[in-house]
Amino acid sequence: MAKPFCDVFPTIQVKGDLRSLFSSTQVTRVAFNRDHTRLKVYLESDHLIHKTYIFRMEEAIAKTVFAGAPTQVLICEQFSLSAQYNPQMLMEEYRDSLTTELWHISPILGSFYKDAEIEYSGEEHVILRLEDSIICREVGNKLAGLLDQIFHERCGIPAYFELQYSLPVRSRAKAEIDDYVPVIADADDARQAIGTGQDGIGAGAGAENTPGSGNMAAGAAAAASGNGNSPATQSAAAAANKPQAARTVSKGGAPEKSKKRTAADNKFLHGFIRSNNPDVIVGKEFEGDTIPIADILGEMGEVTIRGKIISSERRDIRNEKSILKFVLTDFTDSIAVKIFAPTELADQTMQRLAGGKFVKVRGFTKLDTFEHEVAITSPFGIMSIPSFVTKRQDHYAQKRVELHLHTKMSDMDGLAECSDLVKRAYEWGMPAVAITDHGNVHAFPDANHVVEALYKNDSKKRKENGEAPLSRQEFFKVIYGVECYLVDDLKKMVTFGTDVTADYRTETGSYVVFDIETTGFSSDKDK
């Protein structure tokens, strides 16, 4: 349930202009990581907010709310813009903010984007004219992918970005060159081309410890100085010789004619599921071994994982498209998966991606600029699989009897349902189990109902197999017990004098009674 930003952070200390920008926004969710060292604030706004103000508010929350604590605050903003916005209008109003954000991710990305010439062809077709350099060619798909994600997911405005390398090469500061790490882009999809291996943008968030980044940066500097034998030059030349994505053209060449939106929409619709296998939910059928999610460390290229869906959500954007997101866990760790789907197929896809379903996914890991963490977007394929969870078994020949069992009726001690505990003891072959909650017998009815149902099912199975049913005394038993609290009601509570000369008579006088409880059940209204 969304709440106003000022209600969630009432003690925030910021200046008037910054407070006014966030006063009309809504906080939909806040989430800590496991170590409580990072807080994510999910923000919804009906107006654009410059990334500089987002960074300033993150610092203000960290200083005000977590003063003295090493807590990082990340704001995940999402804009609900009016229908008048299109890619051109958004780009014109938001470009300075995009430059700031891209520079924050990587100065080399921010520099190329700042110098780019932007043209518009059609309602959603955006042409980025970049300089024709080896470095720019290698980071071009990364740049287009980030813009694509910001437009789609943050702003809800679909846009098709075409890259043209036609601007003259300009000299760049040494700091920008040192920040550069080659990216080998060989995927046929722009979104999948983001982070296709450890050769990524080294200064991006979460990629500071990329193995070998120092050597790559040194090679890039050598390439800029004309050393054609450096590793960076060789890898960059190999990338330049590979066929680029369909939206990329070389210097001096004529841009490829963009497809009509109707044709692209039809291709998107019919290409959403590209297999006759009923197990395929999205994309194509695939095979191969899976890796534990816990082994995914940063942007590491294509991976295949499996797991159970914890939660799923949907957001409709313009032009009959939707963003579907689900969180997958294999019980070693969890990761988010995002899909761009036709709106007309979104309902049936969400049903197949509901919580509790088991799936396996193949796709590229990348740093999600919206979530500020590694995720899988636009996966190659998603397939439904049977559950791989196995129940724990008791294989001992001589079964034990648990005589000290607490259910959730034991406040601050037990968490499990009584019915679940009784069923598990029966499944493990125990002859009996004892329930001993703290000072109450509230779990007894549930235990009795479960045992009666188990006995009825067992008798039915035995009858179907031609066996005589067990007597009720021979069947699994529940031992009903309790951990009692005893009070010595013979000892007087008020005495005068010593133990030897104790006088239990009540004398006339004034007495003070101190009670730490309230006079009612409300901690706000009662005293």
Side-chain angles (χ1 to χ4, degrees), residues 34 291-294 305-311 326-337 356-361 385 388-389:
R34 185 175 300 176
I291 66 170
I293 298 178
I305 59 175
R306 66 173 184 172
K308 178 182 178 180
I309 298 177
I310 303 176
S311 62
F326 62 91
V327 180
L328 193 68
T329 180
D330 63 353
F331 310 103
T332 67
D333 205 341
S334 59
I335 193 171
V337 181
K357 300 293 183 67
F358 285 80
V359 297
K360 65 177 180 178
V361 180
I385 59 173
F388 55 84
V389 178

Side-chain angles (χ1 to χ4, degrees), residues 353-379:
L353 296 175
K357 300 293 183 67
F358 285 80
V359 297
K360 65 177 180 178
V361 180
R362 174 176 290 179
F364 286 90
T365 57
K366 63 178 288 288
L367 181 66
D368 191 317
T369 57
F370 177 72
E371 298 284 351
H372 300 284
E373 61 186 19
V374 175
I376 296 178
T377 60
S378 299

Side-chain angles (χ1 to χ4, degrees), residues 11 31 38 47 52 73 76 152 176 193 210 221 255 317 414 453:
T11 61
R38 185 175 64 177
H47 60 271
T52 301
V73 178
C76 305
H152 276 80
E176 299 177 10
T210 303
I317 58 177

Side-chain angles (χ1 to χ4, degrees), residues 382-408:
I382 301 176
M383 300 178 61
S384 61
I385 59 173
S387 172
F388 55 84
V389 178
T390 57
K391 287 186 177 181
R392 184 178 174 185
Q393 301 291 329
D394 182 359
H395 299 289
Y396 287 97
Q398 185 175 359
K399 306 298 182 180
R400 68 186 180 94
V401 175
E402 177 58 61
L403 297 176
H404 187 184
L405 185 65
H406 291 165
T407 73
K408 70 174 186 179

Side-chain angles (χ1 to χ4, degrees), residues 382-504:
I382 301 176
M383 300 178 61
S384 61
I385 59 173
S387 172
F388 55 84
V389 178
T390 57
K391 287 186 177 181
R392 184 178 174 185
Q393 301 291 329
D394 182 359
H395 299 289
Y396 287 97
Q398 185 175 359
K399 306 298 182 180
R400 68 186 180 94
V401 175
E402 177 58 61
L403 297 176
H404 187 184
L405 185 65
H406 291 165
T407 73
K408 70 174 186 179
M409 297 301 178
S410 292
D411 192 25
M412 304 298 291
D413 196 357
L415 296 175
E417 293 281 353
C418 175
S419 57
D420 295 336
L421 294 172
V422 173
K423 289 177 182 178
R424 179 56 58 89
Y426 174 75
E427 291 172 357
W428 283 359
M430 293 182 180
V433 65
I435 298 175
T436 56
D437 280 321
H438 292 306
N440 73 86
V441 294
H442 299 322
F444 286 4
D446 288 341
N448 180 69
H449 293 327
V450 171
V451 172
E452 292 297 332
L454 292 174
Y455 179 71
K456 183 177 180 179
N457 291 337
D458 183 80
S459 300
K460 182 179 179 181
K461 290 181 181 179
R462 288 177 177 273
K463 184 177 180 180
E464 292 175 352
N465 296 332
E467 301 176 1
L470 292 175
S471 67
R472 189 64 182 82
Q473 293 298 321
E474 296 176 340
F475 191 67
F476 174 81
K477 298 180 178 62
V478 173
I479 303 171
Y480 298 99
V482 65
E483 286 190 10
C484 297
Y485 300 105
L486 302 180
V487 177
D488 186 357
D489 57 353
L490 299 179
K491 183 177 180 179
K492 300 296 182 178
M493 300 304 296
V494 180
T495 62
F496 300 91
T498 64
D499 292 339
V500 178
T501 62
D503 186 359
Y504 299 109

Side-chain angles (χ1 to χ4, degrees), residues 490-526:
L490 299 179
K491 183 177 180 179
K492 300 296 182 178
M493 300 304 296
V494 180
T495 62
F496 300 91
T498 64
D499 292 339
V500 178
T501 62
D503 186 359
Y504 299 109
R505 293 173 299 174
T506 303
E507 296 183 359
T508 303
S510 299
Y511 296 88
V512 176
V513 177
F514 177 73
D515 186 3
I516 61 173
E517 294 179 304
T518 63
T519 57
F521 293 109
S522 173
S523 60
D524 296 329
K525 299 179 180 179
D526 299 314

Side-chain angles (χ1 to χ4, degrees), residues 76-88:
C76 305
E77 67 269 32
Q78 196 170 67
F79 301 127
S80 300
L81 304 176
S82 65
Q84 65 180 351
Y85 274 91
N86 56 26
Q88 180 175 355

